[in-house]
Amino acid sequence: MTAVFAITASRIFDGQSFYLDAALVVDGSKVGAIMPQSKLPAGMKTLPVGNNLIAPGFIDLQVNGGGGVLFNNQPDVTGIETICAAHASFGTTALMVTLITDVPDIRDIAVEAGCQAATNAVPGFLGLHLEGPHLSVARKGTHDPALIRPMTEDDLLYLERKAGMFGLPMMTVAPESVTPAQVRRLVAAGYRISLGHTDSKCAAIADYVDAGATMVTHLFNAMSQLGNREPGLVGAGLSSPALHCGLIADGFHVDPVTMRVALAAKQGPAHIFLVTDAMSTIGTDSSGFDLNGRAVYRRDGRLTLADGTLAGADIDMLSCVRFVHERLGQPLEEALRMASLYPAQAIAAPCKGSLTVGNDADFIVLGEELDLLSTWIGGACVHEANAERRKARA
Ligand SMILES: [Zn+2]
C-alpha cells in the first residue's frame, strides 16, 4: 500500500498555471492530483505549508559538482550522492552529473559510478552528462586542450554499450570532433545530444539537428558569436524550433542585455532553459579547487583559472531563477518553467518538470521572498530549511 497525503498551500504552480488555496495530493512517489483544499477527502493526512508556493522541483542538466565534490576529482557514487544532496538544498530535484573532458580512464570510472548511482536510485540523480572530450580545441573554455580529441569507433562502441545503464545519457559534442553519422548512432542508443564548445557554421548545424541533436550547451559561452553574415551555433540555437538552449544565468557568463535579447528571440517550441554549470563550491565556503591539475579561484561569484578564463559557475539554481525573474524581468512562472518544465522537455523526460497527475512528485516549497523552505523528491522530503537552521542553532 502506498502512502497518500496532501500538502496545502496558498499557491501551487504545476508548471503551467497557478492554483490558489489548493492541495497537492501525493500518491506514493507520484503526483495524485491538484485540487481545491475544500474538495480534499475527509480524513486524508494533510500537511499545511500556509502562505507559501509549491512549484515543480528544479532540473539542472549541467552540474559538475557541489558540496565540496567535483565529479572529475571524485567520480564515485558517494561523490554523486554529495552533489545531488548539495543541490537539493537549493531546490534541484533532478540533475545530470556532468563530467568534463578528462582521460579515458576517468570517463570509464565515472560511467561505472553513474551505473551504480542508477542502480542505487540516488535521490536526484537523473543521469550523466559527458561534456567532452569530443569538442573543438579552439573553443576549449576551461577544458584541457591536451585531452580534447575526435570521437573514434572505439569510443562510439563503448558509449553504445553503456547507454541506458547510467540513467539518462547526455553528451555535449562539437561538429569539429563528431560526425552527424556518429550523432545518429548515439541518438539511436538513447543519448540526448547537445552541441557546444564549437566554431561550427550555422548551416552545418542543420545536419546535426537532422541526426537528432536537440540541445545547445551554455548558449553564447565557448562558441562563435552571432555575426551579420555567419550566425554560428548561437544563430542556429535561437532560430531553430528543435534546439533547446541551456543558459548560465549568473550575470557573468552572459550579459543581462544579451540574455534579454535571446529570450525575446527564442520562439519555441524548444525553449531556453537554465543550467548552473556549478562546480564543487556550491553549498560550501571553499575558496577554490583543482581542475585537471590546474587551480581554480573563487572570488565575488566567479570561478576562474589563473588566466581569468571562467571555469564553471558559482551559482545555484534558485539564484538563477531569482536572477531571471528579478533582474531580467521575466514573470515568475516563466522563470520557474526555465528551471523545471523546459529542461524536462529538452531531454524528453515526460515524468519530470511539471506537477501533472502521474508525474514524479518532485517539488519545492518557496516562501514569499522566493526563499527555499523544503525540497521533495519522489514524494519524500529531502531538505528542510528550518531543520538546517535548527541544526545550526543546536
Ligand atoms: Zn562547457
Side-chain angles (χ1 to χ4, degrees), residues 1 40 161 202 217 235 323 370-372:
M1 201 178 80
L40 274 179
R161 209 164 49 241
C202 183
T217 296
F323 190 94
L370 293 186
D371 48 318
L372 184 76

Side-chain angles (χ1 to χ4, degrees), residues 62 139 141 194-199 215-227 231-239 244-250 252-266 272-273 275 277 310 328 338:
Q62 198 165 359
R139 291 293 174 182
S194 190
L195 302 171
H197 286 268
T198 178
D199 274 332
M215 288 175 275
V216 174
T217 296
H218 45 54
L219 184 71
F220 294 111
N221 296 115
M223 60 186 68
S224 52
Q225 299 300 293
L226 180 68
L233 181 57
V234 173
L238 290 177
S239 64
H244 307 255
C245 301
L247 182 70
I248 306 171
D250 64 352
F252 298 117
H253 280 75
V254 184
D255 189 278
V257 172
T258 307
M259 283 196 250
R260 283 197 196 94
V261 170
L263 287 167
K266 188 69 178 159
I272 291 175
F273 60 91
V275 294
D277 202 11
L310 285 175
L328 303 186
M338 288 174 68

Side-chain angles (χ1 to χ4, degrees), residues 150-172:
M151 184 178 285
T152 64
E153 180 63 16
D154 278 352
D155 290 319
L156 197 45
L157 290 170
Y158 171 83
L159 293 164
E160 286 175 328
R161 209 164 49 241
K162 294 294 179 183
M165 296 171 70
F166 53 90
L168 267 181
M170 175 174 172
M171 288 190 80
T172 291

